[in-house]
Amino acid sequence: MQPADIRPAAPTEQTQSTFDLFLIFVGANVVATTFQVGASLASSFTLTRTIMLIAVGSVAGSALVAALAPLGPRLRVPSVIAARPALGMTGAALVAVVLYVSNFAWIALNNVIAASACARAAATWAGPAGASQAAWAVALGLIATIVVWRGPRAVARADRVAVPLMLMVGVALTVACVRASGAAPTPAAPTLGSMSPSRGLDVVIGYQVSWILMFADYSRYTRSARGSAIAVFLGLAITSVWMMPLGAIAARAAGSSDPGAMLDAVGLGAAGALLLTLATLTTNFVNIYMSSLAWKSLAPRAGDAAVIWSIGIIGTALSAVPGVWLDQYMNFMMTLGALLVPVGGVLVAHYYGPRRPLLDEALITELYDKAGAFRGMKVAGVGAWAAGAIAFFLAGSIGGTLPALVVSVVVYTLLR
């Protein structure tokens, strides 16, 4: 396996176990931003309502991503290539641009949150010398980039070490949050209800569906289609149902959604910083790799090293403006939901609806033929994508996820 190879994986390369695939998604989703989703809901809902929204949204969003995961073992191509039959090469290129640009934000967000916690913890034992948030952000960004540059196998090996450590520290965080939950202050009454439950559900589902554009990127190296679906679903659903409520509890205990303050409030400063560091690395492995594949689909002749390093460096550089990313976090989730839920609907309708294609070697070859059936833009796919996105925004306070999904599936089926 090459670091950012968009060619079909050879059957002999499908040696990745479903457990390794599970660990990759666990490592990707046990991250500061998952924790932050729960924190973003804490001021609008009671803890019980927050946990209910998280449970429903996590399962629904994970199911949509997992439904597409079997395409990886069957087609053996990256996600942006698998989108070509439904959207056309030009439409799939638009998806690649969305993936490429949005992952800069994810890389920056992860670096900002982890660097903030690390700097805060380091200041207690190293003084001002250890409290440079910028230095921590640069270090985290460089480490993640190096591992991705070494290729998917290096990512899998790193996850085998990092994920068990994260789980152990995560257990400590869980215990700390449970202890703090009894003493957590309840937000003032005027604040509760500032977001409708359906919009809260959009935030959770939007976060889960942000992984939809990597449905085949790693699963293509796994031989079992059914095992891939199970691994992806469990990897995303379990970690979200676990980490998001902890974020809500910690935010209520701190009376703030600032990551460092939340960890201090539950008495887990240094250990919490370790968790966020490991989580940032494992998630940014995935973010950099996904962006690399997206760019290679647009410019196949680009060198792997240049693509990976440019992505890692740009994402790290954006971490220099931390306030912007945290302030706009909720809006970012809503925008991603509007863009990505309809993409999932179009792909589900194409591969599982009426007139589903035969997933054979002829199709795989056609996916790369610039003069073939998938050249240009497919009106049905791009039109359904646009219609779903419009439906998401027009839905307003009633929630946009279900309308966007239904509209994209129906419009694609009719236009096709």
Side-chain angles (χ1 to χ4, degrees), residues 71-88:
L71 298 176
R74 290 168 179 161
L75 292 175
R76 310 192 310 276
V77 301
S79 305
V80 289
I81 304 298
R84 287 176 174 177
L87 300 171

Side-chain angles (χ1 to χ4, degrees), residues 141-243:
L142 290 176
I143 292 171
T145 305
I146 290 171
V147 173
V148 177
W149 172 61
R150 298 289 297 172
R153 285 198 180 96
V155 171
R157 287 194 295 268
D159 280 337
R160 288 178 187 177
V161 175
V163 171
L165 287 175
M166 284 194 300
L167 293 177
M168 288 188 288
V169 180
V171 169
L173 177 62
T174 303
V175 173
C177 286
V178 169
R179 288 176 176 172
S181 62
T186 301
T191 305
L192 287 174
S194 60
M195 181 191 302
S196 69
S198 55
R199 273 310 192 192
L201 198 61
D202 283 342
V203 170
V204 179
I205 295 177
Y207 182 80
Q208 294 294 84
V209 175
S210 68
W211 296 113
I212 201 165
L213 296 184
M214 65 171 282
F215 65 85
D217 293 345
Y218 284 99
S219 67
R220 65 187 176 130
Y221 294 111
T222 301
R223 195 172 293 273
S224 170
R226 182 173 179 271
S228 294
I230 294 172
V232 170
F233 176 77
L234 293 179
L236 291 178
I238 291 174
T239 49
S240 291
V241 171
W242 174 28
M243 294 298 294

Side-chain angles (χ1 to χ4, degrees), residues 120 180 183-185 247-266:
R120 188 163 181 156
I249 292 171
R252 292 167 69 86
S256 167
S257 60
D258 177 77
M262 290 192 292
L263 293 173
D264 282 346
V266 297

